Structure formats: C-alpha cells, structure tokens
Amino acid sequence: MSGHPAPLAWRAAAHAKINLGLAVTGTRPDGYHELASVFLRLALADLLTVTVGARADPDGLAITGDPECPVEDNLVLRAVGALRAAAPSGDSLPGLRIALEKRIPLAGGMAGGSTDAATALRLAAAAWGLAPSRADLERLGARLGADVAFFVGGHAAARVSGIGERIEPLPPLLDRVGVVLATPPFGMATPAVFAASDRLEPPGAAAATAVDALVASWRQGLDGPGLAARAAALRDANDLWPAVIALEPRLARLRDVLEEALRRPVLLTGSGSTLVALYPSLQQAHDAAAGLTARRVTGLEGVRVLATTDAAIEEEP
Ligand code: C5P
C-alpha cells in the first residue's frame, strides 16, 4: 500500500432479496411476528458511494434514481448514526457524504431500505477505519430493521427465522436462476400488512412445511432450473398473501394477469407489492420480461418489469 494515497471513496452494491416462501409462525408480545422464510439475494442492487467530509460536517445523503425515496429519516442515515454512536469517540469522526443510487423498487418486498442500511454500515466502518466484527454489525443492523442482519451477513441465500435475526446460510445455487420482477405502481406498508394478517384466521402449517422442504432440497444441491421447478409449491407458501390482497385487491388481479401472460406460477415476495416469476436461466427471464413489455399486456399498465438473477453473479449495478 505504501506510496499509494488512501482511497477517497468507498463504493459497494446493496443487493435486493426475494422471499421464497414466508411462513408466519407466531406473534411476540412486542407485536413482531415470528417467521420462517428463505431469502435469496438478487443481482439487482442499489449503489452506495461514501466519501469523507470535514470533521464538523454532519453526515449527508443524496439520492438519485427514484424521486420518491425519502432522504429524511432514511435508514442509511440511521445506520451511519448508529455506527457513530457505537464507536469510541464517535463524535469526533468526520462527516460522511453518502450517494445512493436507487434501483430497487420502494415498498416492494425486496428489502431495499434494509440492504442500503447494511451496506452503509460496512462502507462507513471502512471510511472511518473502524473494524467492527460481523457480530457487532449484525447486532447494530438488527436494531435498524428486521431484514438488515441477513444483508450484513453477505450470504447468497439463507433460511431466516425468528423475527429475521436467525440466519442459517444456504449455499449459492449451483447454477443461476432467472427472476422476473413485476412491481405495480403502488407499494405495501409492511406494518399494515402484518396488522391485517393478525385480523384474519391464523395460517396453517402449509407454508412452514413448504419452506422446510425447500431448505432440505437446497442443502442437497439446487440449481436454477431446480428452483424454478419448485415455483408451484412456493406459490401458495406466503402466509401474508391473504392480508395483502385484503388491503390491495388489485394485486390479486395482477397475479392473474401475470400467470395468464407468463404461463407459470407467480409468487409474492415479502409483504409485497412485487410479484415474482422464476425461470431456469437469466436469458429466459430476460426474454419473458421483454415479451411482457412488447406485447403491452392489458392489466400491466404502470407495472415495472425487471429481469435479474440470484447474486452469485456480481452484475455491475
Ligand atoms: O423491522 P422492520 O422495520 O423492517 O419491520 C417493519 C414492520 O413490519 C415492523 O414494525 C412490524 O410491524 C412488522 N414486522 C413484524 N414481524 C417481523 C418483521 C416486521 O411484525 N418479523
């Protein structure tokens, strides 16, 4: 390193995730829900760049790519603030300037805010020359949001349980899976979906069983085509679906339209609003997404359609 100036900017991709099955297995006294799910990290990612300002500067955030994304109270600033508060003499650390390029749709069930927060923790630690352990970062992350710990771990996939803090890593898929994401022009508010779910009949054990079956075959070695072939079993394995369509019946119609147009099962990720179709390869997902756009399918007006893959391939974000 001698002779080279210190890097002036730290940059990293903040990857999205999808849920493959989501079982609600219990409610805790604090109102949070016990879950069981498989999280799959996607190549789709936001991009964060951190530069160091002057000592007296406050930490600042500038967002491009999505005018709807809030700057005030953004989880990125809360993450940086939490790391500063936890650092010895954090007050004397210089201000950070953070540029966030949004590509992950907001309120879409792909944990965009949580992944940005996890990446911000990592980049801020590097920029300040701190060396927190992964356990430290996971603890900080878990306080910021239920999904943050998964991203701090940096896993390609994991079985996630508890309220999101219990993470059992799964190996990367043996070969890529193609993913088509269809995000309608409205998002879902996660707390409202959980609250609506509490007002409905408690779910049975089917989703939990489907998640466990997926985990078992994953551990034996699963590839993209193998995962895509499981889509029918995962379609009805999201326990939040009844609450989501009670709040937003347009999503039930959108799933019908997509299943008719794509001729394959369509899954809900997280608490929505993004719907997901799985393909044996990225090429097939690209072709399907391009076909949907070209055919101007009735019912898909305003729906953002993206093709991506799991994040074992680091696509340039
Ligand atoms: O932790 P996070 O801010 O991501 O969660 C958003 C909201 O989703 C929580 O305030 C809670 O209402 C709900 N939630 C839940 N159980 C979880 C995760 C989230 O009830 N395991």
XYZ file of all heavy atoms in Angstrom, residues 1 16 132 142 159 214 294 307:
54
model
N 0.824 -1.207 0.000
C 0.000 0.000 0.000
C 0.861 1.261 0.000
O 0.390 2.317 -0.360
C -0.910 0.031 1.236
C -2.000 -1.042 1.257
S -3.311 -0.722 0.072
C -4.370 0.373 1.027
N -30.753 -6.533 -3.556
C -32.120 -6.820 -3.129
C -32.243 -8.291 -2.745
O -31.343 -9.091 -3.006
C -33.090 -6.510 -4.276
N -15.369 -3.176 13.042
C -16.319 -3.921 13.867
C -16.397 -5.368 13.397
O -16.194 -5.659 12.215
C -17.652 -3.200 13.613
C -17.486 -2.522 12.293
C -16.027 -2.229 12.135
N -29.646 -5.365 13.335
C -30.925 -5.922 13.789
C -31.760 -4.851 14.470
O -32.997 -4.884 14.421
C -30.685 -7.099 14.731
N -31.874 -19.556 5.229
C -33.153 -19.750 5.917
C -33.169 -18.716 7.027
O -32.238 -18.632 7.826
C -33.255 -21.154 6.504
C -34.578 -21.414 7.215
C -34.617 -22.809 7.819
N -35.960 -23.162 8.241
C -36.478 -22.847 9.431
N -35.764 -22.166 10.308
N -37.718 -23.204 9.726
N -38.144 -26.842 0.892
C -37.207 -26.124 0.021
C -35.801 -26.141 0.618
O -34.810 -26.389 -0.079
C -37.687 -24.679 -0.172
C -36.751 -23.776 -0.982
C -36.628 -24.273 -2.423
C -37.235 -22.325 -0.960
N -43.213 -5.878 -24.702
C -43.518 -5.709 -26.122
C -44.994 -5.957 -26.424
O -45.581 -5.296 -27.275
C -42.642 -6.655 -26.940
N -35.856 -7.989 -15.213
C -35.306 -9.350 -15.185
C -33.971 -9.299 -14.452
O -33.176 -8.391 -14.650
C -35.100 -9.875 -16.596
